Amino acid sequence: MTRWTASQVSEVAPDAASLAAARKLAVPGPWRETGCSEVLVWGQCQGSGKTPYQVSVDLVGPAYRCACPSRKFPCKHALALLMLWAEGVIDESGQVAAFAEEWATQRAERAAGPSRAATDSAPDPAARAKRLEQRLGRMDAGVEDFRLWLADLVRGGLAAARTQPYSYWDTAAARLVDAQLPALAERVREAGSQVHARREWAAYLLSEVGRWWTITSAWQAREHLDDVDLAEVRVAVGWAQSSEEVRDNDVRPGPWTVLGAVRTDDGRLQQQRTWLAHDEGEVVAVLDFAGYGQALAVPQLSGARLDVDVARYPGAAPRRALFRDPPTGAVPVTALPGRTSLAEVHAAAARRLGRTPWGERHPAPLADVRVVPDGERWRVSDGTGSLPVADGSPVWTLLAVSGGEPVDVFGEVESGTFRPLAVWLDDGVMGL
């Protein structure tokens, strides 16, 4: 397998702190019995204790294992080992270490075995119907209560709403949680913070209130919606569908190419979004979540071509999806799939918003765009239009890589701004 670049190693780091700690360990001194093959990299790293940590990396997954107590994946030891491998410090001589071979064998056996256990008995249909009726009644009452709260908010004016303490928003969100409407509750909590943090708070709050009203109106008219629109409304209110329900339905075989990925953390929940493109043009988003103290799924490398089956959730395109099994056969790709113009991205986003007005993010595989200054902000621009770059984006990294020349960039369009996730160059792909 082709050795990773330093930027690819950085891309799989769970956070900046782990990356910084790994750089301190990426020297030959603490390492011994290192080696690599076509699919594995391994080594032992001396820590503070007497016994060195055994570290193994499966490059195909990718997957990571370390004997250290860290709950981050990959940990600093695995990252440091990858850095040494990327720099060519670790060669392919020698036999695979016993601990690495044992781990690889166990992974192969798990992959070959039954993927999931069959249930012994089916649930009672009558009890299930009763629980569903009770939940719908609770949700309907919660939606009606929330619409009254929204009407009071609008009647009092946006300026008055901005002066309210955070408890005003948090109390409304808590009532939505009690009504089993968690996605709406999260939107309200976020608005309570954003109305004080944003410069253009009035436009933001007006848009959010409009989305909330549209979502609740769609929920009340759900009996008249088709399956696609009903699925979108369920997501908007937070009625989750279990992965087991999705895993064996609407499956599309690979290969899939990783367009880019991003991690977010609001202090309560971590989210990882991985955008994939099929050879026939379909784009999906794989979402992974982790609560406080939990580890997110191992990120996939931007530009990797994955031999994997993907199961898709119901809804409008671009749809959410999940990996049916761990991806294998990652091969690097350098040409951005579906590369298009800003004008076409605007048109696709408009079509999506016409169907689901509360939609938040839209994939944007942009071809030959430049990063240009616009007063105190930066924009991505081509011959068909431009978009402001989202706050907090790695603009300087993108400028350094592109040298001010047109490049292919994949990112997300959200709230009228562009968040770059990966830059596609002739000699490789760099996650941002």
Side-chain angles (χ1 to χ4, degrees):
M1 177 172 287
T2 305
R3 289 183 187 263
W4 293 4
T5 64
S7 63
Q8 287 177 311
V9 176
S10 300
E11 187 177 345
V12 301
D15 51 45
S18 297
L19 194 60
R23 290 194 177 105
K24 297 178 181 178
L25 290 172
V27 292
W31 292 92
R32 70 186 191 193
E33 297 185 24
T34 59
C36 64
S37 66
E38 278 294 308
V39 296
L40 289 173
V41 184
W42 62 88
Q44 296 190 49
C45 183
Q46 186 63 55
S48 57
K50 293 181 179 180
T51 305
Y53 298 128
Q54 296 176 342
V55 189
S56 307
V57 178
D58 182 340
L59 301 169
V60 177
Y64 312 90
R65 181 175 185 262
C66 182
C68 76
S70 175
R71 301 182 69 175
K72 296 181 180 180
F73 293 94
C75 67
K76 63 182 180 181
H77 304 103
L79 289 170
L81 182 64
L82 284 172
M83 290 176 182
L84 292 172
W85 174 65
E87 293 170 2
V89 176
I90 300 174
D91 59 33
E92 297 183 13
S93 61
Q95 189 175 5
V96 179
F99 64 85
E101 187 172 23
E102 180 183 1
W103 175 64
T105 301
Q106 291 172 350
R107 279 177 49 79
E109 290 174 351
R110 286 196 298 269
S115 58
R116 60 197 68 89
T119 55
D120 295 331
S121 59
D124 181 3
R128 184 176 181 179
K130 184 176 181 180
R131 288 195 299 270
L132 177 61
E133 182 182 3
Q134 291 174 341
R135 172 162 190 169
L136 288 174
R138 192 177 301 116
M139 294 173 74
D140 286 339
V143 164
E144 188 61 39
D145 178 71
F146 183 56
R147 286 169 68 88
L148 291 174
W149 183 84
L150 277 177
D152 290 340
L153 184 153
V154 173
R155 189 178 298 111
L158 299 184
R162 193 187 187 218
T163 64
Q164 296 285 352
Y166 185 74
S167 59
Y168 169 79
W169 308 92
D170 192 50
T171 299
R175 291 163 69 178
L176 288 169
V177 170
D178 291 340
Q180 295 187 277
L181 301 162
L184 272 177
E186 185 59 33
R187 283 178 175 268
V188 173
R189 284 199 181 96
E190 180 68 13
S193 300
Q194 293 296 326
V195 291
H196 297 288
R198 288 177 176 255
R199 288 176 295 181
E200 301 174 352
W201 65 269
Y204 163 79
L205 184 55
L206 180 61
S207 297
E208 277 300 291
V209 169
R211 290 189 183 99
W212 300 342
W213 188 262
T214 305
I215 291 170
T216 56
S217 297
W219 173 259
Q220 291 183 329
R222 64 185 181 276
E223 294 181 358
H224 306 289
L225 302 179
D226 61 26
D227 291 343
V228 173
D229 289 334
L230 180 59
E232 291 291 330
V233 175
R234 284 183 52 147
V235 172
V237 299
W239 191 347
Q241 188 169 11
S242 73
S243 59
E244 289 305 313
E245 290 182 71
V246 176
R247 193 176 298 278
D248 294 323
N249 295 314
D250 204 359
V251 176
R252 186 164 194 179
W256 294 84
T257 300
V258 182
L259 298 173
V262 62
R263 286 183 169 186
T264 60
D265 187 349
D266 64 4
R268 297 183 301 274
L269 187 70
Q270 299 177 81
Q271 182 186 128
Q272 178 174 273
R273 295 188 297 278
T274 305
W275 292 94
L276 307 174
H278 196 269
D279 285 357
E280 296 182 2
E282 181 181 10
V283 175
V284 299
V286 175
L287 303 185
D288 296 295
F289 300 93
Y292 179 76
Q294 297 176 323
L296 277 168
V298 175
Q300 300 297 321
L301 295 174
S302 299
R305 185 176 173 86
L306 306 177
D307 182 14
V308 66
D309 292 347
V310 162
R312 296 165 293 184
Y313 286 76
R319 295 161 67 179
R320 181 185 172 188
L322 58 82
F323 295 125
R324 292 193 70 209
D325 295 295
T328 59
V331 176
V333 177
T334 56
L336 175 61
R339 56 197 300 271
T340 187
S341 67
L342 276 161
E344 291 172 334
V345 167
H346 279 301
R351 288 193 295 270
R352 173 70 192 274
L353 288 173
R355 181 159 195 168
T356 53
W358 51 85
E360 293 182 306
R361 302 179 188 89
H362 309 278
L366 300 178
D368 296 329
V369 292
R370 295 176 183 268
V371 182
V372 297
D374 180 20
E376 297 180 356
R377 302 198 68 171
W378 293 89
R379 305 180 75 89
V380 289
S381 176
D382 63 11
T384 67
S386 69
L387 268 175
V389 177
D391 293 340
S393 298
V395 176
W396 293 109
T397 301
L398 185 55
L399 280 169
V401 172
S402 66
E405 297 298 319
V407 289
D408 292 352
V409 181
F410 176 80
E412 301 172 332
V413 175
E414 180 179 2
S415 300
T417 63
F418 176 74
R419 179 186 293 106
L421 302 184
V423 55
W424 292 64
L425 307 169
D426 292 337
D427 57 351
V429 184
M430 178 179 177
L432 298 172

